[in-house]
Structure formats: structure tokens, C-alpha cells
């Protein structure tokens, strides 16, 4: 239990990659620029490059005055690192102004503005859009700009798309000339979801979110066996949705026996093995609605239809953030499954009435995550997700200050145990005593901000009830000769006490430290 407090305090920040964004520079504002790459009848392509940015966004606007704050607030948040972004479904013969902004702790920076004009004539287009094709509703596969040194591929369908194990999506794109691209998407932040998360995926050799893995993604010319294809060495793939179908744009480089080749392509249609989240392009209905939050409870609705099954999981954000972000796995492995609409009142110390044996305490000044997803409960598919995982953060407020007092003292010290006395004042309802190694208490005193707390006292009042029984005991009545065992020998301990008075108010008592004996 030595690292319990430290692990609870360290709320690791989930790093979400942004297109052209890198880690912030110390004390300096970020730099950001936009460059035109090309255009076609109904699309423009541009690149965004930022350095030292924690957040990036771009915006198409009318060319008038613009501010970095407006772009960051109202623009499109972009992911990845130094890659181009495609914007499709635009008008022919029209000039679009592109601007971007970046921000870090030192401030925000606005980029240069780039004007890009789509081809054709707005009133009488030279290249009118292709008529609707029922077999290919998205269309536009061959409407790509000509870029020197880049081969255009017209992707006509996808196959072999499926989730592999718990962390990635594997799909094959097929061009009209028979060439194939095998792409292995790593999507840890949407693990086990039934759809491919939108964003910009970079070619790389890590399993971080938004990566196309370069050891299992390759280009296969027509007539060449899959195993003899050429691995991708650089590039990116943008995933989005339009007209109710996936849109995929790629710019990828592969090494064919020492010679580098670059291909680009665009696809707007169904994607093998993946479904578009319900509500995209038509206004998504939220699955979770928060109704009420108190220091020791929260109430929320699950807005499922009467015949819909769903899974829900609830976790302390500090615990969730210590592991690789994988909401699908949390829902599948730790969630409870029910059916139809339901209002859930999660109360500290009470059994969740709908799931026998399911219990989790609710602490004040603590952020919890509620994760929920619709489920396919047909035979053989009991653990298949029908939707992406929806996540809602709930932060409980601090408890009211109390007036309760306790008289706590160590009466005898042993090698692995101590005998203590814990006597209540008349207004005390109960108290929680945490026997913590002194170095952990000092760590909490110096790093309480990492637990999103405003003070050391707030941090300890939040943490103490949730500690394991080996380091925390609840006293409902006074104790004069209580033996606390299972301590480490030759170790400094500091008893920390959360006192709850008869009106529900709380106070914190930090006792003098003691040292257990050597064997």
C-alpha cells in the first residue's frame, strides 16, 4: 500500500494529438502556419504546422478580422502532427480563407491566412459534381488535386475491416485498378467501439491513439501477393464522416526496394467492419443526462429506448487516468448491463439497487467518469457495442465544514502494530482513520493540485474514505484499546482522521507521527 496515495494523487493528463501540434515550449507562445497544398472542384487541401502548442484549431471564414480566441473556440479542433487536412463538400469556383490558431500556457497565436479557390465555375461549373450513384452514395473518389510526385488512387470499396483484439482496427482499401492499401489503425481511446474514431492518424511505430502502424500497414500493387507488399514509411490518414458515410483521405509514402512513392486517395462510403455512430449528420441523442450532484451522490438518466440494452461503468477519474484510456474495455469489463430508460441515483455507502453486489463509494471534491454504450445482446454478440462509448464527467462538491472533535492517541507501539485510543466528542457521528506512511502524507501536502484539489485539507478529506481497509478504518463508536496490525516495521506513520459530525459536516485531524519498532 506504499504507493496508494501517490497513485491516487497523480492524475495523468490524457494526451490527445493535434494536427501540427507538439509539446509546449517553456515560457514561449506557440508558432503556427498554414500552407495551401491544392484544390479540386469541391475540396481544398492545406497543411497546418505548429510548434509548442497544447491546442490547435483551424477555421474557414470570410476573410474579415479574426482573432486567435475565436478560432480556438469556434474552429475545428485538429489532431496529429504536421499533417495536411482535407476539407470536402465545398462549392465549385469559390475562394475559401483558411486560418489557424494555437495555444499553450504562455498564450495564443494566430497563423497567417491562406486563400484557396476550388476549381470550376460557381454559376456554370466546368466540372459539375457527379450525379448520385446508389452504389456509391458519397461519390467524389476521383475528384483529387494533381500534386507533383503524388499518384492518385481511386478507392472504390473496402474489405476485411474488423477490430483486432482490444486496441486496433484493420481495414483494406481497394482501388479501381486493383491496388490495395492495408491500414492498421491504433485507436486506444475508443477501444472495442464498433466505429472507427474520427481524426488524423499518423504513420508510426507506436500503439498510441491515432497511429497507423508502419509494421502492419502496407501498399500492395495489383497482382502482387499481400505478403510481398511495401510498408508505409510516412504520411497520414484523415477519418471523418459526410452524408452519413465515412470519408477517408490519405497521403501515404511507401518504400519499394529503396525508391519512395507517395499515393493519395479519397473515399466516401461504407467502411467494412465499422458503423457510423447513430446521430452523425442528423444530431446525436445523448445517452447520459446528469440530473443532480451532491458531495456524496449523483443522479443521472440513461436515455435508451425500451428495447435497447446498454452497459454503464462508473470510475474515479484519477484511477481511470492511470491506465491507457480505453472506454470500451471499461464498459465491457467493469460495466453492468440493463435494458431500457433508467434513472440511477448513485449514493455513497448504499448498494446500487438494480445490480446486487455492485457498490462504489462517492467522495466529495472528486471527479468521476460515467461511461455508457448501447449493446448488441443477440445470441453470440452479448459483448458487442452498438454505439461509441459516451463519457460524462461528474465532479462532486466539497462537504460542509464540521465541528466534531476526537481525542486520538497512540498508547503502545510494536513492530507491526500499534495500540491506540480514539474517543469521540458528543457531536461526532463517526470518524475515518487512515494510517498512512508519513512520506505519503508529505507527498499529498506538496502535490494536492495533481488531484484537482484546492487545498491539502480538501485532498485528504476526499481520499481518506476511499482507501483500502489495510490503511483506513471507520469507527462508529469510541475505542479505548484498539490494536491496528499489518504495519511495516521501522517505518514512520502519520494518522489522518476525517471526523463527521451529527449534522454531516466534516473536519480533518492530522496527528503526530510515530515510528514502528525494528524486529
Amino acid at each position: 500500500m506504499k504507493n496508494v496515495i501517490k497513485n491516487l494523487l497523480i492524475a495523468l493528463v490524457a494526451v490527445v494529438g493535434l494536427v501540427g501540434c507538439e509539446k509546449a515550449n517553456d515560457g514561449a507562445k506557440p508558432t503556427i502556419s498554414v500552407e495551401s497544398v491544392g484544390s479540386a472542384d469541391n475540396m481544398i487541401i492545406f497543411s497546418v504546422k505548429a510548434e509548442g502548442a497544447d491546442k490547435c484549431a483551424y477555421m474557414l471564414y470570410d476573410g474579415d478580422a479574426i482573432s486567435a480566441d475565436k478560432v480556438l473556440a469556434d474552429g475545428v479542433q485538429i489532431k496529429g502532427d504536421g499533417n495536411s487536412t482535407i476539407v470536402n463538400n465545398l462549392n465549385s469556383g469559390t475562394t475559401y480563407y483558411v486560418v489557424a490558431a494555437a495555444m499553450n500556457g504562455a498564450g495564443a497565436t494566430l497563423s497567417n491566412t491562406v486563400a484557396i479557390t476550388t476549381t470550376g465555375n460557381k454559376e456554370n461549373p466546368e466540372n459539375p459534381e457527379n450525379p448520385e450513384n446508389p452504389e456509391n452514395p458519397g461519390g467524389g473518389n476521383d475528384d483529387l488535386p494533381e500534386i507533383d510526385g503524388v499518384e492518385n488512387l481511386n478507392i472504390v470499396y473496402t474489405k476485411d475491416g474488423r477490430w483486432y483484439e482490444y486496441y486496433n482496427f484493420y481495414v483494406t482499401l481497394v482501388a479501381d485498378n486493383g491496388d490495395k492499401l492495408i491500414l492498421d489503425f491504433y485507436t486506444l481511446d475508443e477501444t472495442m467501439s464498433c466505429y472507427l474514431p474520427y481524426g488524423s492518424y499518423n504513420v508510426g511505430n507506436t500503439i498510441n491513439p491515432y497511429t497507423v502502424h508502419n509494421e502492419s500497414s502496407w501498399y500492395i500493387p495489383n497482382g502482387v501477393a499481400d505478403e510481398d507488399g511495401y510498408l508505409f514509411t510516412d504520411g497520414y490518414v484523415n477519418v471523418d464522416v459526410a452524408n452519413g458515410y465515412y470519408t477517408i483521405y490519405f497521403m501515404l509514402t511507401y518504400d519499394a526496394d529503396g525508391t519512395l512513392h507517395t499515393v493519395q486517395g479519397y473515399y466516401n462510403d461504407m467502411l467494412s467492419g465499422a458503423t457510423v455512430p447513430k446521430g452523425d449528420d442528423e444530431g446525436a441523442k445523448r445517452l447520459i443526462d446528469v440530473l443532480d450532484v451532491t458531495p456524496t451522490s449523483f443522479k443521472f438518466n440513461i436515455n435508451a429506448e425500451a428495447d435497447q440494452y446498454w452497459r454503464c461503468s462508473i470510475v474515479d477519474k484519477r484511477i481511470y487516468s492511470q491506465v491507457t484510456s480505453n472506454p470500451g474495455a471499461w464498459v465491457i469489463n467493469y460495466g453492468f448491463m440493463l435494458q431500457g430508460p433508467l434513472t440511477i441515483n448513485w449514493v455513497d455507502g448504499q448498494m446500487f439497487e438494480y445490480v446486487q453486489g455492485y457498490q462504489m463509494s462517492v467522495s466529495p471534491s472528486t471527479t468521476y467518469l460515467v461511461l455508457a454504450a448501447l449493446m448488441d445482446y443477440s445470441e453470440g454478440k452479448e459483448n458487442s457495442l452498438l454505439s461509441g462509448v459516451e463519457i460524462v464527467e461528474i465532479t462532486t462538491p466539497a462537504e460542509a465544514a464540521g465541528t466534531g472533535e476526537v481525542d486520538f492517541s497512540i498508547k503502545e507501539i510494536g513492530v507491526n502494530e500499534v495500540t491506540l485510543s480514539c474517543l469521540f466528542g458528543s457531536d461526532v457521528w463517526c470518524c475515518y482513520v487512515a494510517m498512512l506512511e508519513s512520506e505519503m502524507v508529505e507527498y499529498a501536502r506538496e502535490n494536492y493540485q495533481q488531484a484537482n484539489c484546492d487545498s491539502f485539507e480538501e485532498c485528504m478529506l476526499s481520499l481518506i474514505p476511499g482507501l483500502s481497509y489495510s490503511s483506513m478504518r471507520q469507527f462508529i463508536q469510541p475505542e479505548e484499546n484498539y490494536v491496528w496490525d499489518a504495519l511495516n516495521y521501522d517505518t514512520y506513520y502519520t494518522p489522518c482522521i476525517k471526523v463527521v459530525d451529527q449534522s454531516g459536516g466534516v473536519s480533518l485531524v492530522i496527528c503526530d507521527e510515530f515510528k514502528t519498532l525494528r524486529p
Side-chain angles (χ1 to χ4, degrees):
M1 296 304 299
K2 182 176 182 180
N3 293 322
V4 168
I5 291 295
K6 186 171 183 179
N7 289 340
L8 284 172
L9 285 170
I10 300 176
L12 301 176
V13 177
V15 179
V16 179
L18 301 175
V19 169
C21 294
E22 300 171 356
K23 288 296 291 181
N25 294 328
D26 294 336
K29 290 184 178 181
T31 61
I32 187 166
S33 61
V34 179
E35 180 180 355
S36 172
V37 174
S39 66
D41 184 61
N42 69 338
M43 70 173 66
I44 61 176
I45 302 177
F46 55 91
S47 66
V48 178
K49 178 62 178 178
E51 294 182 357
D54 294 329
K55 180 180 181 181
C56 297
Y58 76 85
M59 176 182 286
L60 305 186
Y61 75 116
D62 57 11
D64 291 337
I66 194 74
S67 68
D69 289 342
K70 181 173 179 59
V71 174
L72 291 166
D74 300 335
V76 179
Q77 302 300 313
I78 48 181
K79 303 174 182 178
D81 186 8
N83 291 323
S84 300
T85 298
I86 188 170
V87 178
N88 56 298
N89 299 323
L90 303 176
N91 295 322
S92 301
T94 303
T95 298
Y96 292 89
Y97 296 89
V98 184
V99 68
M103 181 178 68
N104 63 18
T109 304
L110 189 69
S111 77
N112 58 305
T113 298
V114 171
I116 310 176
T117 302
T118 53
T119 59
N121 184 285
K122 188 174 182 180
E123 301 299 329
N124 183 21
E126 297 177 3
N127 298 306
E129 296 182 7
N130 294 328
E132 184 176 352
N133 180 351
E135 295 182 359
N136 182 17
N141 288 332
D142 55 0
D143 188 17
L144 289 168
E146 297 295 333
I147 302 175
D148 289 342
V150 177
E151 177 187 356
N152 289 353
L153 289 181
N154 184 28
I155 303 300
V156 291
Y157 67 96
T158 69
K159 67 174 187 176
D160 301 330
R162 61 189 182 277
W163 290 97
Y164 255 158
E165 299 178 2
Y166 297 105
Y167 45 81
N168 63 325
F169 185 80
Y170 177 94
V171 69
T172 300
L173 310 184
V174 182
D176 58 359
N177 62 0
D179 292 356
K180 294 184 294 185
L181 289 78
I182 293 179
L183 302 177
D184 189 7
F185 293 93
Y186 276 75
T187 63
L188 289 177
D189 62 340
E190 294 287 348
T191 297
M192 293 175 66
S193 173
C194 64
Y195 71 91
L196 180 61
Y198 313 146
S200 184
Y201 293 78
N202 301 313
V203 173
N205 61 358
T206 72
I207 58 173
N208 292 330
Y210 294 100
T211 298
V212 174
H213 207 283
N214 60 9
E215 294 178 359
S216 48
S217 301
W218 61 95
Y219 176 80
I220 304 102
N222 187 23
V224 174
D226 287 3
E227 60 270 17
D228 295 327
Y230 306 109
L231 292 174
F232 291 116
T233 60
D234 196 8
Y236 61 96
V237 181
N238 282 337
V239 177
D240 207 335
V241 66
N243 304 321
Y245 294 90
Y246 279 96
T247 63
I248 297 178
Y249 175 81
F250 58 85
M251 178 80 75
L252 296 166
T253 299
Y254 64 91
D255 186 344
D257 303 322
T259 302
L260 296 179
H261 299 268
T262 300
V263 294
Q264 71 165 341
Y266 174 70
Y267 177 78
N268 179 206
D269 208 330
M270 293 183 293
L271 183 62
S272 300
T275 59
V276 175
K278 182 179 180 181
D280 281 10
D281 279 344
E282 60 187 35
K285 175 184 177 182
R286 293 194 64 84
L287 187 57
I288 307 169
D289 277 331
V290 179
L291 303 178
D292 186 45
V293 181
T294 75
T296 56
S297 71
F298 43 84
K299 181 187 293 185
F300 59 94
N301 277 343
I302 297 292
N303 299 314
E305 301 297 332
D307 59 346
Q308 287 180 327
Y309 287 90
W310 47 268
R311 278 192 180 275
C312 180
S313 181
I314 299 174
V315 61
D316 187 320
K317 186 178 180 181
R318 294 168 297 191
I319 303 300
Y320 179 85
S321 299
Q322 291 176 26
V323 298
T324 302
S325 179
N326 50 358
W330 275 91
V331 169
I332 295 294
N333 296 331
Y334 307 115
F336 50 89
M337 185 154 71
L338 292 168
Q339 181 183 13
L342 185 66
T343 298
I344 297 175
N345 191 22
W346 206 271
V347 183
D348 184 29
Q350 294 185 15
M351 198 74 68
F352 180 37
E353 60 183 303
Y354 300 103
V355 181
Q356 294 301 315
Y358 201 100
Q359 183 178 5
M360 186 188 73
S361 61
V362 180
S363 299
S365 304
T366 303
T367 299
Y368 295 91
L369 299 181
V370 179
L371 305 92
L374 299 178
M375 302 297 298
D376 184 348
Y377 200 52
S378 57
E379 185 176 356
K381 297 183 178 180
E382 288 80 2
N383 280 337
S384 297
L385 299 179
L386 281 177
S387 70
V389 178
E390 187 172 306
I391 305 178
V392 172
E393 288 191 11
I394 297 176
T395 300
T396 54
E399 295 170 292
T403 58
E405 295 182 353
V406 297
D407 182 7
F408 185 91
S409 61
I410 300 296
K411 303 178 70 173
E412 185 177 350
I413 300 174
V415 174
N416 300 115
E417 75 286 328
V418 296
T419 302
L420 58 86
S421 172
C422 183
L423 304 179
F424 295 179
S426 59
D427 60 342
V428 172
W429 176 70
C430 77
C431 65
Y432 301 88
V433 179
M435 198 69 69
L436 303 176
E437 293 186 20
S438 296
E439 62 179 279
M440 293 297 102
V441 177
E442 291 309 307
Y443 183 89
R445 193 185 301 276
E446 296 173 3
N447 299 278
Y448 59 83
Q449 299 94 336
Q450 294 185 35
N452 297 320
C453 295
D454 294 330
S455 66
F456 167 70
E457 290 76 13
E458 179 185 309
C459 176
M460 295 305 295
L461 288 171
S462 171
L463 288 176
I464 287 174
L467 296 174
S468 70
Y469 186 74
S470 63
S471 56
M472 191 281 295
R473 313 284 166 88
Q474 182 181 10
F475 294 94
I476 303 296
Q477 58 187 13
E479 295 284 352
E480 293 190 11
N481 293 286
Y482 183 86
V483 177
W484 194 307
D485 56 8
L487 299 178
N488 295 324
Y489 68 86
D490 195 27
T491 301
Y492 286 99
Y493 284 91
T494 299
C496 301
I497 307 173
K498 178 178 181 177
V499 185
V500 183
D501 63 26
Q502 298 290 348
S503 62
V506 298
S507 55
L508 177 68
V509 177
I510 303 295
C511 303
D512 294 335
E513 71 173 2
F514 66 91
K515 185 179 182 181
T516 53
L517 303 178
R518 296 179 63 86

